[in-house]
Amino acid sequence: MPAKSQPGNGLAAEWNLGESGYKTGMDANLRFLSAAVQLVLERSDKVLPTPPAEGMLAIAENGATIVGYKDGAWISVATPRVGWVGYDKLLGTHVHFGASGWGRPPWIEDAPVDGRRYIRKDGAWLEDDYRISAFIPQITQANQQVASFIIPVPMSLPNDASDCVARCQLPPPEETALILRKNTTQIGTITFTPGETVGVIDITGTADVAFAKHDELNLFAPSPITGVPEGIRILFRLEM
């Protein structure tokens, strides 16, 4: 009896033993499987590779057919079904066949490529920032090291100190600038003024401050001191 289309990808099967046409049908099956199993495409943008090489697979100009280069010509080898996933060698990423054709897989978009680290949350990419905080009850002497943080991985402190915060419970009687240091090098100040409970964080220079693994971010009291804020609370945000 004539072959029957099988569930799933529709391969032909169930010929009668010795039935004429088996070779043609089985060759079609094997061409189909060669394309559909672990599908790797030279490109999926409907532009055939030039010059082509034997065995290449690509998407035909109509966007609906997978073609292969065999014996000096492009031949149709499979019609993709919605849900198929292939690897596009030109893009270096997987592509997905949906109702509107080939495109990037819909389940996860690529994270931005800008040198930052990102985490995935609630279906979106978020910048992976590192936050550290400290509470300094009192400063008792000039040039006192009042806080110190060991940086666990390479990251940077933004030059504009965005999302960094400094507050105090009791403002100083006169302007006081605490010293920020990367290891032993000064990189900025945190200034508190009389009557103000919010300090101004100023990073020296125009570039972000890069920290290597196990560098230190240190905070020192000014020298000399005649009156300092009390109950200082500080939050630093660093970019990973």
Side-chain angles (χ1 to χ4, degrees):
M1 65 179 179
K4 294 181 180 179
S5 177
Q6 302 301 299
N9 287 321
L11 295 177
E14 301 184 49
W15 285 277
N16 285 326
L17 184 63
E19 180 178 339
S20 175
Y22 171 83
K23 179 184 183 305
T24 301
M26 186 52 64
D27 284 349
N29 279 348
L30 295 176
R31 283 195 298 268
F32 178 90
L33 290 173
S34 182
V37 177
Q38 298 182 354
L39 176 60
V40 177
L41 302 163
E42 293 298 319
R43 57 195 304 165
S44 61
D45 57 1
K46 299 183 289 185
V47 177
L48 297 181
T50 303
E54 189 75 9
M56 279 185 172
L57 293 176
I59 304 301
E61 293 181 359
N62 62 18
T65 306
I66 297 173
V67 293
Y69 195 74
K70 183 177 184 296
D71 297 332
W74 289 101
I75 61 171
S76 175
V77 293
T79 299
R81 307 283 183 94
V82 171
W84 278 21
V85 175
Y87 182 79
D88 186 315
K89 293 171 66 175
L90 180 66
L91 296 177
T93 188
H94 285 87
V95 289
H96 171 267
F97 187 74
S100 58
W102 291 95
R104 295 292 181 93
W107 51 88
I108 284 189
E109 60 182 287
D110 288 343
V113 181
D114 56 8
R116 294 289 311 279
R117 285 174 51 169
Y118 287 83
I119 57 175
R120 191 77 174 168
K121 181 181 179 182
D122 297 332
W125 289 106
L126 301 179
E127 293 173 339
D128 189 12
D129 295 329
Y130 183 78
R131 292 177 172 83
I132 49 180
S133 62
F135 175 68
I136 305 161
Q138 289 184 319
I139 296 175
T140 59
Q141 62 186 34
N143 204 35
Q144 174 187 358
Q145 184 170 350
V146 295
S148 182
F149 312 94
I150 297 176
I151 305 302
V153 296
M155 60 184 72
S156 61
L157 180 65
N159 171 258
D160 60 2
S162 56
D163 295 330
C164 297
V165 180
R167 297 173 182 159
C168 66
Q169 294 172 336
L170 182 63
E174 59 186 61
E175 183 173 291
T176 302
L178 280 66
I179 308 301
L180 276 174
R181 293 176 182 167
K182 170 188 170 182
N183 300 323
T184 59
T185 302
Q186 181 170 334
I187 59 170
T189 57
I190 302 177
T191 303
F192 291 93
T193 56
E196 297 292 332
T197 58
V198 177
V200 176
I201 303 175
D202 181 39
I203 306 300
T204 305
T206 59
D208 296 347
V209 181
F211 288 82
K213 181 178 181 180
H214 296 164
D215 277 347
E216 294 185 11
L217 173 60
N218 299 314
L219 183 61
F220 284 79
S223 180
I225 57 172
T226 56
V228 291
E230 295 184 10
I232 300 171
R233 302 181 303 280
I234 297 175
L235 171 69
F236 293 108
R237 181 188 71 87
L238 292 94
E239 298 179 348
M240 299 174 65

